[in-house]
Amino acid sequence: MSDAVMQRGFRPAQRLIDLANAVRATPELPRAALADLLARHGESPGELTERAFSEADAEELRSAVIRITGVLVGNGATGGGAIGDGAEEGGANGDGFAAGAGTDAVAESGGADDAGTDRAAHAINALLAECGARPHLSRHGGHAWHLHVDRGEDAGWADWFLASSAVALAQILTEYGRVTWGECAAPRCATLYLGTGPGSAHRYCSAACASRERVAAHRRRRRAGAE
């Protein structure tokens, strides 16, 4: 199995988000669908045959995805309310995709954001300790030398996924100094997002969700003004 933590072209954090969203939407996601997602994130066809990635492996991977989803949701970034309910409408580009200045001020002054970051750090450390994640270089399956962070070549899919995902989240947390990931703040959306793009801290999974919330906030203000 090719771990992608440091290799160009591999994005283990995005792989985590994609698998988490897929399994949340379909808890019994078939082995073939999981294999397809893994292939999109760099796993070679030979590593995803029914023998190399069995139904039992798929079940263990689904369980691992559900487990680390708890870290994404339970320790995710929070934007605080819908647009227009005490939050800024626009981010760095004024599109509502990112949180406003009020959220940044909370992060700088500590408080709830610091507590969430601490919880996430402890949860990630626990996963790394459990998986026995020890960095080592590996080359196999036609891949160039790349970093592995699991127990070794005999590590199972679940162990590999938990270890590599935990390291990816740890890298993001240390780079940004906070939790960037979370669940979309739009009322009718539960999509998880990574939130590592440019601009202020994100609260929405996409510009589309942010735009819908901006329109809804505008309508709420108009109704409130008419009363």
mmCIF file with all atom_site columns, all heavy atoms in Angstrom, residues 77-81 86-88 98-110 113 178-179 200-203:
data_model
loop_
_atom_site.group_PDB
_atom_site.id
_atom_site.type_symbol
_atom_site.label_atom_id
_atom_site.label_alt_id
_atom_site.label_comp_id
_atom_site.label_asym_id
_atom_site.label_entity_id
_atom_site.label_seq_id
_atom_site.pdbx_PDB_ins_code
_atom_site.Cartn_x
_atom_site.Cartn_y
_atom_site.Cartn_z
_atom_site.occupancy
_atom_site.B_iso_or_equiv
_atom_site.pdbx_formal_charge
_atom_site.auth_seq_id
_atom_site.auth_comp_id
_atom_site.auth_asym_id
_atom_site.auth_atom_id
_atom_site.pdbx_PDB_model_num
ATOM 1   N N   . ALA A 1 77  ? -13.487 22.400 12.987 1.00 0.00 ? 77  ALA A N   1
ATOM 2   C CA  . ALA A 1 77  ? -13.589 23.863 13.090 1.00 0.00 ? 77  ALA A CA  1
ATOM 3   C C   . ALA A 1 77  ? -15.050 24.248 13.193 1.00 0.00 ? 77  ALA A C   1
ATOM 4   O O   . ALA A 1 77  ? -15.929 23.608 12.623 1.00 0.00 ? 77  ALA A O   1
ATOM 5   C CB  . ALA A 1 77  ? -12.956 24.512 11.857 1.00 0.00 ? 77  ALA A CB  1
ATOM 6   N N   . THR A 1 78  ? -15.330 25.308 13.926 1.00 0.00 ? 78  THR A N   1
ATOM 7   C CA  . THR A 1 78  ? -16.691 25.804 14.063 1.00 0.00 ? 78  THR A CA  1
ATOM 8   C C   . THR A 1 78  ? -16.729 27.265 13.683 1.00 0.00 ? 78  THR A C   1
ATOM 9   O O   . THR A 1 78  ? -15.899 28.054 14.115 1.00 0.00 ? 78  THR A O   1
ATOM 10  C CB  . THR A 1 78  ? -17.200 25.664 15.509 1.00 0.00 ? 78  THR A CB  1
ATOM 11  O OG1 . THR A 1 78  ? -16.295 26.338 16.386 1.00 0.00 ? 78  THR A OG1 1
ATOM 12  C CG2 . THR A 1 78  ? -17.290 24.203 15.898 1.00 0.00 ? 78  THR A CG2 1
ATOM 13  N N   . GLY A 1 79  ? -17.712 27.602 12.853 1.00 0.00 ? 79  GLY A N   1
ATOM 14  C CA  . GLY A 1 79  ? -17.822 28.984 12.412 1.00 0.00 ? 79  GLY A CA  1
ATOM 15  C C   . GLY A 1 79  ? -18.797 29.788 13.236 1.00 0.00 ? 79  GLY A C   1
ATOM 16  O O   . GLY A 1 79  ? -18.763 31.006 13.260 1.00 0.00 ? 79  GLY A O   1
ATOM 17  N N   . GLY A 1 80  ? -19.722 29.118 13.923 1.00 0.00 ? 80  GLY A N   1
ATOM 18  C CA  . GLY A 1 80  ? -20.638 29.812 14.791 1.00 0.00 ? 80  GLY A CA  1
ATOM 19  C C   . GLY A 1 80  ? -21.792 30.465 14.072 1.00 0.00 ? 80  GLY A C   1
ATOM 20  O O   . GLY A 1 80  ? -21.759 31.628 13.715 1.00 0.00 ? 80  GLY A O   1
ATOM 21  N N   . GLY A 1 81  ? -22.862 29.687 13.849 1.00 0.00 ? 81  GLY A N   1
ATOM 22  C CA  . GLY A 1 81  ? -24.087 30.261 13.315 1.00 0.00 ? 81  GLY A CA  1
ATOM 23  C C   . GLY A 1 81  ? -24.041 30.460 11.816 1.00 0.00 ? 81  GLY A C   1
ATOM 24  O O   . GLY A 1 81  ? -23.019 30.332 11.169 1.00 0.00 ? 81  GLY A O   1
ATOM 25  N N   . GLY A 1 86  ? -24.566 36.919 13.332 1.00 0.00 ? 86  GLY A N   1
ATOM 26  C CA  . GLY A 1 86  ? -23.414 37.212 14.169 1.00 0.00 ? 86  GLY A CA  1
ATOM 27  C C   . GLY A 1 86  ? -22.106 36.858 13.518 1.00 0.00 ? 86  GLY A C   1
ATOM 28  O O   . GLY A 1 86  ? -21.050 36.980 14.116 1.00 0.00 ? 86  GLY A O   1
ATOM 29  N N   . ALA A 1 87  ? -22.136 36.401 12.256 1.00 0.00 ? 87  ALA A N   1
ATOM 30  C CA  . ALA A 1 87  ? -20.902 36.066 11.547 1.00 0.00 ? 87  ALA A CA  1
ATOM 31  C C   . ALA A 1 87  ? -20.801 36.950 10.325 1.00 0.00 ? 87  ALA A C   1
ATOM 32  O O   . ALA A 1 87  ? -21.793 37.433 9.786  1.00 0.00 ? 87  ALA A O   1
ATOM 33  C CB  . ALA A 1 87  ? -20.906 34.593 11.130 1.00 0.00 ? 87  ALA A CB  1
ATOM 34  N N   . GLU A 1 88  ? -19.576 37.115 9.826  1.00 0.00 ? 88  GLU A N   1
ATOM 35  C CA  . GLU A 1 88  ? -19.373 37.910 8.634  1.00 0.00 ? 88  GLU A CA  1
ATOM 36  C C   . GLU A 1 88  ? -19.881 37.159 7.418  1.00 0.00 ? 88  GLU A C   1
ATOM 37  O O   . GLU A 1 88  ? -19.854 35.937 7.363  1.00 0.00 ? 88  GLU A O   1
ATOM 38  C CB  . GLU A 1 88  ? -17.873 38.198 8.459  1.00 0.00 ? 88  GLU A CB  1
ATOM 39  C CG  . GLU A 1 88  ? -17.272 39.031 9.577  1.00 0.00 ? 88  GLU A CG  1
ATOM 40  C CD  . GLU A 1 88  ? -17.690 40.483 9.507  1.00 0.00 ? 88  GLU A CD  1
ATOM 41  O OE1 . GLU A 1 88  ? -18.047 40.920 8.394  1.00 0.00 ? 88  GLU A OE1 1
ATOM 42  O OE2 . GLU A 1 88  ? -17.660 41.168 10.529 1.00 0.00 ? 88  GLU A OE2 1
ATOM 43  N N   . ALA A 1 98  ? -15.409 31.410 3.408  1.00 0.00 ? 98  ALA A N   1
ATOM 44  C CA  . ALA A 1 98  ? -14.584 31.397 4.608  1.00 0.00 ? 98  ALA A CA  1
ATOM 45  C C   . ALA A 1 98  ? -15.295 32.121 5.736  1.00 0.00 ? 98  ALA A C   1
ATOM 46  O O   . ALA A 1 98  ? -16.227 32.888 5.519  1.00 0.00 ? 98  ALA A O   1
ATOM 47  C CB  . ALA A 1 98  ? -13.242 32.075 4.334  1.00 0.00 ? 98  ALA A CB  1
ATOM 48  N N   . ALA A 1 99  ? -14.827 31.859 6.949  1.00 0.00 ? 99  ALA A N   1
ATOM 49  C CA  . ALA A 1 99  ? -15.376 32.553 8.099  1.00 0.00 ? 99  ALA A CA  1
ATOM 50  C C   . ALA A 1 99  ? -14.920 33.998 8.082  1.00 0.00 ? 99  ALA A C   1
ATOM 51  O O   . ALA A 1 99  ? -13.934 34.358 7.448  1.00 0.00 ? 99  ALA A O   1
ATOM 52  C CB  . ALA A 1 99  ? -14.911 31.884 9.392  1.00 0.00 ? 99  ALA A CB  1
ATOM 53  N N   . GLY A 1 100 ? -15.613 34.834 8.819  1.00 0.00 ? 100 GLY A N   1
ATOM 54  C CA  . GLY A 1 100 ? -15.280 36.243 8.859  1.00 0.00 ? 100 GLY A CA  1
ATOM 55  C C   . GLY A 1 100 ? -14.240 36.550 9.905  1.00 0.00 ? 100 GLY A C   1
ATOM 56  O O   . GLY A 1 100 ? -13.695 35.690 10.574 1.00 0.00 ? 100 GLY A O   1
ATOM 57  N N   . ALA A 1 101 ? -13.973 37.857 10.079 1.00 0.00 ? 101 ALA A N   1
ATOM 58  C CA  . ALA A 1 101 ? -12.927 38.302 10.979 1.00 0.00 ? 101 ALA A CA  1
ATOM 59  C C   . ALA A 1 101 ? -13.228 37.950 12.417 1.00 0.00 ? 101 ALA A C   1
ATOM 60  O O   . ALA A 1 101 ? -12.335 37.757 13.224 1.00 0.00 ? 101 ALA A O   1
ATOM 61  C CB  . ALA A 1 101 ? -12.741 39.819 10.842 1.00 0.00 ? 101 ALA A CB  1
ATOM 62  N N   . GLY A 1 102 ? -14.522 37.843 12.754 1.00 0.00 ? 102 GLY A N   1
ATOM 63  C CA  . GLY A 1 102 ? -14.877 37.527 14.124 1.00 0.00 ? 102 GLY A CA  1
ATOM 64  C C   . GLY A 1 102 ? -14.333 36.183 14.550 1.00 0.00 ? 102 GLY A C   1
ATOM 65  O O   . GLY A 1 102 ? -13.876 35.996 15.680 1.00 0.00 ? 102 GLY A O   1
ATOM 66  N N   . THR A 1 103 ? -14.379 35.205 13.652 1.00 0.00 ? 103 THR A N   1
ATOM 67  C CA  . THR A 1 103 ? -13.861 33.886 13.965 1.00 0.00 ? 103 THR A CA  1
ATOM 68  C C   . THR A 1 103 ? -12.353 33.917 14.165 1.00 0.00 ? 103 THR A C   1
ATOM 69  O O   . THR A 1 103 ? -11.804 33.260 15.043 1.00 0.00 ? 103 THR A O   1
ATOM 70  C CB  . THR A 1 103 ? -14.216 32.898 12.829 1.00 0.00 ? 103 THR A CB  1
ATOM 71  O OG1 . THR A 1 103 ? -15.633 32.862 12.711 1.00 0.00 ? 103 THR A OG1 1
ATOM 72  C CG2 . THR A 1 103 ? -13.697 31.510 13.135 1.00 0.00 ? 103 THR A CG2 1
ATOM 73  N N   . ASP A 1 104 ? -11.638 34.694 13.336 1.00 0.00 ? 104 ASP A N   1
ATOM 74  C CA  . ASP A 1 104 ? -10.195 34.798 13.484 1.00 0.00 ? 104 ASP A CA  1
ATOM 75  C C   . ASP A 1 104 ? -9.831  35.414 14.824 1.00 0.00 ? 104 ASP A C   1
ATOM 76  O O   . ASP A 1 104 ? -8.856  35.026 15.460 1.00 0.00 ? 104 ASP A O   1
ATOM 77  C CB  . ASP A 1 104 ? -9.602  35.655 12.355 1.00 0.00 ? 104 ASP A CB  1
ATOM 78  C CG  . ASP A 1 104 ? -9.681  34.944 11.021 1.00 0.00 ? 104 ASP A CG  1
ATOM 79  O OD1 . ASP A 1 104 ? -9.785  33.711 11.028 1.00 0.00 ? 104 ASP A OD1 1
ATOM 80  O OD2 . ASP A 1 104 ? -9.654  35.620 9.984  1.00 0.00 ? 104 ASP A OD2 1
ATOM 81  N N   . ALA A 1 105 ? -10.633 36.393 15.263 1.00 0.00 ? 105 ALA A N   1
ATOM 82  C CA  . ALA A 1 105 ? -10.343 37.045 16.536 1.00 0.00 ? 105 ALA A CA  1
ATOM 83  C C   . ALA A 1 105 ? -10.469 36.067 17.679 1.00 0.00 ? 105 ALA A C   1
ATOM 84  O O   . ALA A 1 105 ? -9.681  36.084 18.629 1.00 0.00 ? 105 ALA A O   1
ATOM 85  C CB  . ALA A 1 105 ? -11.302 38.225 16.749 1.00 0.00 ? 105 ALA A CB  1
ATOM 86  N N   . VAL A 1 106 ? -11.455 35.170 17.595 1.00 0.00 ? 106 VAL A N   1
ATOM 87  C CA  . VAL A 1 106 ? -11.612 34.144 18.637 1.00 0.00 ? 106 VAL A CA  1
ATOM 88  C C   . VAL A 1 106 ? -10.401 33.236 18.668 1.00 0.00 ? 106 VAL A C   1
ATOM 89  O O   . VAL A 1 106 ? -9.873  32.871 19.721 1.00 0.00 ? 106 VAL A O   1
ATOM 90  C CB  . VAL A 1 106 ? -12.900 33.329 18.393 1.00 0.00 ? 106 VAL A CB  1
ATOM 91  C CG1 . VAL A 1 106 ? -12.946 32.127 19.323 1.00 0.00 ? 106 VAL A CG1 1
ATOM 92  C CG2 . VAL A 1 106 ? -14.129 34.207 18.613 1.00 0.00 ? 106 VAL A CG2 1
ATOM 93  N N   . ALA A 1 107 ? -9.927  32.841 17.455 1.00 0.00 ? 107 ALA A N   1
ATOM 94  C CA  . ALA A 1 107 ? -8.778  31.940 17.390 1.00 0.00 ? 107 ALA A CA  1
ATOM 95  C C   . ALA A 1 107 ? -7.543  32.587 17.996 1.00 0.00 ? 107 ALA A C   1
ATOM 96  O O   . ALA A 1 107 ? -6.754  31.938 18.677 1.00 0.00 ? 107 ALA A O   1
ATOM 97  C CB  . ALA A 1 107 ? -8.512  31.548 15.932 1.00 0.00 ? 107 ALA A CB  1
ATOM 98  N N   . GLU A 1 108 ? -7.358  33.905 17.721 1.00 0.00 ? 108 GLU A N   1
ATOM 99  C CA  . GLU A 1 108 ? -6.171  34.586 18.209 1.00 0.00 ? 108 GLU A CA  1
ATOM 100 C C   . GLU A 1 108 ? -6.201  34.763 19.721 1.00 0.00 ? 108 GLU A C   1
ATOM 101 O O   . GLU A 1 108 ? -5.173  34.765 20.385 1.00 0.00 ? 108 GLU A O   1
ATOM 102 C CB  . GLU A 1 108 ? -6.048  35.953 17.518 1.00 0.00 ? 108 GLU A CB  1
ATOM 103 C CG  . GLU A 1 108 ? -5.696  35.830 16.037 1.00 0.00 ? 108 GLU A CG  1
ATOM 104 C CD  . GLU A 1 108 ? -5.742  37.172 15.336 1.00 0.00 ? 108 GLU A CD  1
ATOM 105 O OE1 . GLU A 1 108 ? -6.021  38.173 16.019 1.00 0.00 ? 108 GLU A OE1 1
ATOM 106 O OE2 . GLU A 1 108 ? -5.502  37.213 14.126 1.00 0.00 ? 108 GLU A OE2 1
ATOM 107 N N   . SER A 1 109 ? -7.403  34.926 20.279 1.00 0.00 ? 109 SER A N   1
ATOM 108 C CA  . SER A 1 109 ? -7.506  35.185 21.707 1.00 0.00 ? 109 SER A CA  1
ATOM 109 C C   . SER A 1 109 ? -7.662  33.915 22.525 1.00 0.00 ? 109 SER A C   1
ATOM 110 O O   . SER A 1 109 ? -7.793  33.961 23.729 1.00 0.00 ? 109 SER A O   1
ATOM 111 C CB  . SER A 1 109 ? -8.703  36.114 21.969 1.00 0.00 ? 109 SER A CB  1
ATOM 112 O OG  . SER A 1 109 ? -9.908  35.477 21.574 1.00 0.00 ? 109 SER A OG  1
ATOM 113 N N   . GLY A 1 110 ? -7.692  32.763 21.858 1.00 0.00 ? 110 GLY A N   1
ATOM 114 C CA  . GLY A 1 110 ? -7.825  31.497 22.568 1.00 0.00 ? 110 GLY A CA  1
ATOM 115 C C   . GLY A 1 110 ? -9.285  31.118 22.691 1.00 0.00 ? 110 GLY A C   1
ATOM 116 O O   . GLY A 1 110 ? -10.081 31.365 21.809 1.00 0.00 ? 110 GLY A O   1
ATOM 117 N N   . ASP A 1 113 ? -11.748 27.834 20.283 1.00 0.00 ? 113 ASP A N   1
ATOM 118 C CA  . ASP A 1 113 ? -10.916 27.306 19.204 1.00 0.00 ? 113 ASP A CA  1
ATOM 119 C C   . ASP A 1 113 ? -9.682  26.601 19.753 1.00 0.00 ? 113 ASP A C   1
ATOM 120 O O   . ASP A 1 113 ? -9.254  25.567 19.241 1.00 0.00 ? 113 ASP A O   1
ATOM 121 C CB  . ASP A 1 113 ? -10.502 28.432 18.257 1.00 0.00 ? 113 ASP A CB  1
ATOM 122 C CG  . ASP A 1 113 ? -11.632 28.822 17.315 1.00 0.00 ? 113 ASP A CG  1
ATOM 123 O OD1 . ASP A 1 113 ? -12.743 28.318 17.516 1.00 0.00 ? 113 ASP A OD1 1
ATOM 124 O OD2 . ASP A 1 113 ? -11.396 29.620 16.404 1.00 0.00 ? 113 ASP A OD2 1
ATOM 125 N N   . ARG A 1 178 ? -4.010  25.418 14.046 1.00 0.00 ? 178 ARG A N   1
ATOM 126 C CA  . ARG A 1 178 ? -5.407  25.260 14.448 1.00 0.00 ? 178 ARG A CA  1
ATOM 127 C C   . ARG A 1 178 ? -6.034  24.132 13.641 1.00 0.00 ? 178 ARG A C   1
ATOM 128 O O   . ARG A 1 178 ? -5.448  23.635 12.674 1.00 0.00 ? 178 ARG A O   1
ATOM 129 C CB  . ARG A 1 178 ? -6.189  26.560 14.199 1.00 0.00 ? 178 ARG A CB  1
ATOM 130 C CG  . ARG A 1 178 ? -6.156  27.003 12.736 1.00 0.00 ? 178 ARG A CG  1
ATOM 131 C CD  . ARG A 1 178 ? -6.965  28.256 12.480 1.00 0.00 ? 178 ARG A CD  1
ATOM 132 N NE  . ARG A 1 178 ? -6.727  28.779 11.136 1.00 0.00 ? 178 ARG A NE  1
ATOM 133 C CZ  . ARG A 1 178 ? -7.297  28.316 10.032 1.00 0.00 ? 178 ARG A CZ  1
ATOM 134 N NH1 . ARG A 1 178 ? -8.147  27.293 10.099 1.00 0.00 ? 178 ARG A NH1 1
ATOM 135 N NH2 . ARG A 1 178 ? -7.022  28.848 8.854  1.00 0.00 ? 178 ARG A NH2 1
ATOM 136 N N   . VAL A 1 179 ? -7.234  23.755 14.031 1.00 0.00 ? 179 VAL A N   1
ATOM 137 C CA  . VAL A 1 179 ? -8.013  22.789 13.256 1.00 0.00 ? 179 VAL A CA  1
ATOM 138 C C   . VAL A 1 179 ? -8.637  23.519 12.074 1.00 0.00 ? 179 VAL A C   1
ATOM 139 O O   . VAL A 1 179 ? -9.326  24.529 12.260 1.00 0.00 ? 179 VAL A O   1
ATOM 140 C CB  . VAL A 1 179 ? -9.118  22.168 14.140 1.00 0.00 ? 179 VAL A CB  1
ATOM 141 C CG1 . VAL A 1 179 ? -10.098 21.371 13.289 1.00 0.00 ? 179 VAL A CG1 1
ATOM 142 C CG2 . VAL A 1 179 ? -8.508  21.276 15.206 1.00 0.00 ? 179 VAL A CG2 1
ATOM 143 N N   . SER A 1 200 ? -9.341  33.172 5.117  1.00 0.00 ? 200 SER A N   1
ATOM 144 C CA  . SER A 1 200 ? -9.655  32.959 6.511  1.00 0.00 ? 200 SER A CA  1
ATOM 145 C C   . SER A 1 200 ? -10.167 31.543 6.753  1.00 0.00 ? 200 SER A C   1
ATOM 146 O O   . SER A 1 200 ? -10.384 30.777 5.812  1.00 0.00 ? 200 SER A O   1
ATOM 147 C CB  . SER A 1 200 ? -10.704 33.974 6.976  1.00 0.00 ? 200 SER A CB  1
ATOM 148 O OG  . SER A 1 200 ? -10.241 35.297 6.798  1.00 0.00 ? 200 SER A OG  1
ATOM 149 N N   . ALA A 1 201 ? -10.404 31.205 8.009  1.00 0.00 ? 201 ALA A N   1
ATOM 150 C CA  . ALA A 1 201 ? -10.892 29.875 8.367  1.00 0.00 ? 201 ALA A CA  1
ATOM 151 C C   . ALA A 1 201 ? -12.225 29.598 7.681  1.00 0.00 ? 201 ALA A C   1
ATOM 152 O O   . ALA A 1 201 ? -13.107 30.448 7.643  1.00 0.00 ? 201 ALA A O   1
ATOM 153 C CB  . ALA A 1 201 ? -11.056 29.788 9.888  1.00 0.00 ? 201 ALA A CB  1
ATOM 154 N N   . HIS A 1 202 ? -12.371 28.412 7.149  1.00 0.00 ? 202 HIS A N   1
ATOM 155 C CA  . HIS A 1 202 ? -13.577 28.046 6.413  1.00 0.00 ? 202 HIS A CA  1
ATOM 156 C C   . HIS A 1 202 ? -14.676 27.564 7.354  1.00 0.00 ? 202 HIS A C   1
ATOM 157 O O   . HIS A 1 202 ? -14.410 27.020 8.417  1.00 0.00 ? 202 HIS A O   1
ATOM 158 C CB  . HIS A 1 202 ? -13.260 26.943 5.408  1.00 0.00 ? 202 HIS A CB  1
ATOM 159 C CG  . HIS A 1 202 ? -12.463 27.417 4.232  1.00 0.00 ? 202 HIS A CG  1
ATOM 160 N ND1 . HIS A 1 202 ? -12.508 26.810 3.013  1.00 0.00 ? 202 HIS A ND1 1
ATOM 161 C CD2 . HIS A 1 202 ? -11.607 28.455 4.094  1.00 0.00 ? 202 HIS A CD2 1
ATOM 162 C CE1 . HIS A 1 202 ? -11.710 27.442 2.162  1.00 0.00 ? 202 HIS A CE1 1
ATOM 163 N NE2 . HIS A 1 202 ? -11.152 28.439 2.804  1.00 0.00 ? 202 HIS A NE2 1
ATOM 164 N N   . ARG A 1 203 ? -15.932 27.759 6.901  1.00 0.00 ? 203 ARG A N   1
ATOM 165 C CA  . ARG A 1 203 ? -17.081 27.219 7.614  1.00 0.00 ? 203 ARG A CA  1
ATOM 166 C C   . ARG A 1 203 ? -17.975 26.394 6.709  1.00 0.00 ? 203 ARG A C   1
ATOM 167 O O   . ARG A 1 203 ? -18.885 25.728 7.185  1.00 0.00 ? 203 ARG A O   1
ATOM 168 C CB  . ARG A 1 203 ? -17.908 28.361 8.225  1.00 0.00 ? 203 ARG A CB  1
ATOM 169 C CG  . ARG A 1 203 ? -17.172 29.139 9.300  1.00 0.00 ? 203 ARG A CG  1
ATOM 170 C CD  . ARG A 1 203 ? -18.127 30.056 10.059 1.00 0.00 ? 203 ARG A CD  1
ATOM 171 N NE  . ARG A 1 203 ? -18.675 31.090 9.200  1.00 0.00 ? 203 ARG A NE  1
ATOM 172 C CZ  . ARG A 1 203 ? -19.985 31.300 9.029  1.00 0.00 ? 203 ARG A CZ  1
ATOM 173 N NH1 . ARG A 1 203 ? -20.862 30.533 9.630  1.00 0.00 ? 203 ARG A NH1 1
ATOM 174 N NH2 . ARG A 1 203 ? -20.401 32.267 8.250  1.00 0.00 ? 203 ARG A NH2 1
#
